[in-house]
Amino acid sequence: MPFTCDLGGDRYTFPDLKAVLAAASPARSGDELAGLAATSATQRVAARSVLADLPLQVFLADALVPYEADEVTRLIIDSHDAAAFAPIAHLTVGSFRDWLLSEATGSAELAAAARGITPEMAAAVSKLMRAQDLIAVARKVGVVTAFRSTIGLAGRLSTRLQPNHPSDDPRGIAAAVLDGLLYGVGDAVIGINPATDSVPAATALIHMLDELRERYAIPTQTCVLTHVTNALTIMERGAPVDLVFQSIAGSEAANAGFGIDLAVLREAHAAALALGRGTIGRNVMYFETGQGSALSANAHHGVDQQTMEARAYGVARAFDPLLVNTVVGFIGPEYLYDAKQIIRAGLEDHFCGKLLGLPMGCDVCYTNHAEADQDDMDSLMTLLTVAGCNFLICVPGSDDVMLSYQSLSYHDALYLRSAMGVRAAPEFEAWLAETGIAAPDGTMRALADGASPFVRQIAENLS
């Protein structure tokens, strides 16, 4: 069904709902590459005008990707909670925005509505929102998960310690881990992207991380970000797997490009739960996403990249994950050209994920050929912290020497804790105080002559 809008003496026609959503999106290179973007600022305004007047109900009646042809669509529709949707079912996309921003709509109301909001609804309303709107609403949403540490509590910001190494050298990885611990990083997860994806290599790294965690009694979880089918094999062989990782996307075809489907995710989820390794919680899955993944696989079905990204969150929430993060600038400038687009995408992804009830984090990052730098990442990490982001990813010196992209550093976590007053997960914070790495109030202590024996031991190991 076509949609029309008269604006400035001109009539704008959009052939279907997909076209409205795509034209309403803020400018980004991926949608331009796909031929989906608005051709002018005026057309974008016209699309947003149409979108604002559309009832939320339309997203239940008009599937962007056909139900019969796509298991992600079937998951979204079949798992929709009509009772949770009922209080907002009468709203248009524009009035839904007003409801989200209302002071009368708090954390309890947003949590109650989460399972009634589809990914497409979340993406649609985000297209009508300024950056401050995305921040203000996401800040109201609290999503708490747990395994050995509790992630997502108010006033807390967790971090993933990412000690990647170009040859998976155990000594290099261990040095990066211990260095990160001295900065209070790692309460969300200590997670390695392996340089190779072989089962023996991943198994060796899993054992190494688990031995290190147990040696220092660290209340966190570890993960080697190998393919989910590898994780299943590794679990079958009795290795100490904490979290199962997988990159996911917003269509069945895009997920097939990752070598997965919903059935294998369900199998891995059940296997990880059966291990019972969590001490305070049972959230065992870790998902990564990123705008442009479906488009890069030619599996976007003519849907704009941000809406496809939100559909990936529909996949994630079916598995009650411990962690979900958008690797926001990793895919490259073909999809998010510059810092303006990366910052906007990071705020959109965080907002949509939180609105859908997910424990959202972000890899605040960019590739070396993007029009961005660390000043831009400083801006995004600060904005996400204000927005209540559950966790951020940190690597030694901001430079991932294995994946060859730029992220956040351990030092950036110190800045955020100091400037924004956010603290680590309570279990991890207590461990930092017990070991002398931090003061009881969470303040990090400098490595000096008066450091605790534990800190001196780590320093000696690093030297």
Side-chain angles (χ1 to χ4, degrees):
M1 180 183 72
F3 300 88
T4 62
C5 175
D6 295 319
L7 185 66
D10 294 319
R11 169 160 288 193
Y12 294 88
T13 301
F14 306 94
D16 53 27
L17 184 57
K18 290 190 288 189
V20 173
L21 288 166
S25 292
R28 62 204 56 200
S29 53
D31 290 339
E32 293 170 4
L33 178 70
L36 301 175
T39 56
S40 68
T42 308
Q43 187 190 39
R44 183 171 293 112
V45 171
R48 289 176 179 173
S49 179
V50 170
L51 185 59
D53 290 337
L54 289 179
L56 290 180
Q57 295 273 6
V58 75
F59 296 100
L60 298 174
D62 189 353
L64 302 180
V65 182
Y67 182 94
E68 299 78 11
D70 187 84
E71 68 173 0
V72 174
T73 299
R74 293 194 291 275
L75 173 66
I76 291 168
I77 297 300
D78 294 348
S79 63
H80 181 251
D81 188 331
F85 182 60
I88 58 173
H90 63 289
L91 299 176
T92 63
V93 177
S95 57
F96 182 40
R97 172 187 176 273
D98 295 339
W99 181 82
L100 292 171
L101 289 166
S102 170
E103 291 185 5
T105 303
S107 299
E109 290 78 12
L110 291 168
R115 295 283 173 170
I117 300 169
T118 69
E120 292 85 352
M121 294 174 194
V125 75
S126 75
K127 298 175 192 297
L128 304 182
M129 303 178 88
R130 293 171 55 185
Q132 65 174 264
D133 299 336
L134 298 172
I135 293 168
V137 175
R139 185 176 174 83
K140 294 194 285 187
V141 182
V143 181
V144 178
T145 56
F147 189 81
R148 291 193 191 93
S149 58
T150 306
I151 300 165
L153 295 170
R156 307 277 176 171
L157 174 67
S158 293
T159 50
R160 170 184 162 190
L161 199 168
Q162 183 169 297
N164 294 349
H165 192 280
S167 64
D168 288 341
D169 178 71
R171 287 175 59 84
I173 290 170
V177 171
L178 295 174
D179 186 27
L181 292 173
L182 289 175
Y183 288 96
V185 171
D187 56 324
V189 64
I190 301 174
I192 303 171
N193 297 91
T196 65
D197 210 26
S198 75
V199 167
T203 302
L205 291 176
I206 287 169
H207 280 290
M208 186 205 77
L209 286 182
D210 195 59
E211 289 166 7
L212 187 150
R213 181 191 60 78
E214 288 198 328
R215 176 181 178 184
Y216 294 112
I218 309 168
T220 190
Q221 33 286 329
T222 63
C223 184
V224 174
L225 282 66
T226 190
H227 193 269
V228 65
T229 54
N230 286 349
L232 279 165
T233 299
I234 292 166
M235 285 188 283
E236 289 170 359
R237 296 179 181 178
V241 173
D242 287 346
L243 304 182
V244 172
F245 167 82
Q246 184 55 49
S247 295
I248 57 173
S251 73
E252 180 178 346
N255 283 326
F258 285 136
I260 63 166
D261 57 21
L262 296 179
V264 75
L265 294 179
R266 292 186 183 106
E267 182 182 359
H269 183 228
L273 284 173
L275 295 180
R277 291 179 55 80
T279 56
I280 62 170
R282 289 170 50 82
N283 302 110
V284 296
M285 302 298 283
Y286 177 15
F287 295 118
E288 281 191 342
T289 67
Q291 288 193 29
S293 59
L295 174 57
S296 69
N298 195 28
H300 61 296
H301 296 272
V303 179
D304 68 273
Q305 66 182 39
Q306 190 249 333
T307 301
M308 289 304 294
E309 171 74 0
R311 283 171 54 91
Y313 305 152
V315 174
R317 75 173 170 183
F319 298 94
D320 296 320
L322 180 77
L323 307 168
V324 180
N325 71 259
T326 168
V327 192
V328 66
F330 182 74
I331 301 181
E334 299 84 0
Y335 304 96
L336 296 170
Y337 177 73
D338 57 14
K340 182 178 178 64
Q341 293 186 11
I342 291 170
I343 290 171
R344 171 73 193 193
L347 295 176
E348 288 171 349
D349 295 350
H350 178 254
F351 163 84
C352 288
K354 292 291 278 295
L355 194 59
L356 294 170
L358 288 176
M360 283 302 295
C362 185
D363 190 350
V364 176
C365 63
Y366 62 100
T367 58
N368 290 313
H369 61 313
E371 292 293 323
D373 59 28
Q374 287 303 132
D375 284 344
D376 301 314
M377 300 305 102
D378 286 351
S379 297
L380 180 53
M381 72 180 181
T382 303
L383 291 171
L384 285 169
T385 303
V386 174
C389 190
N390 278 33
F391 72 102
L392 299 172
I393 292 178
C394 300
V395 306
S398 300
D399 185 6
D400 191 305
V401 295
M402 193 280 284
L403 291 173
S404 298
Y405 78 113
Q406 307 305 308
S407 186
L408 301 184
S409 72
Y410 302 154
H411 300 78
D412 292 328
L414 289 185
Y415 149 72
L416 292 169
R417 297 205 192 290
S418 174
M420 310 300 292
V422 289
R423 301 168 68 166
E427 301 85 1
F428 192 80
E429 184 178 75
W431 177 82
L432 291 173
E434 290 168 6
T435 57
I437 296 174
D441 65 357
T443 304
M444 301 304 298
R445 286 174 167 156
L447 181 59
D449 291 339
S452 72
F454 178 85
V455 173
R456 288 198 298 272
Q457 179 187 0
I458 291 182
E460 290 168 3
N461 289 338
L462 290 176
S463 64

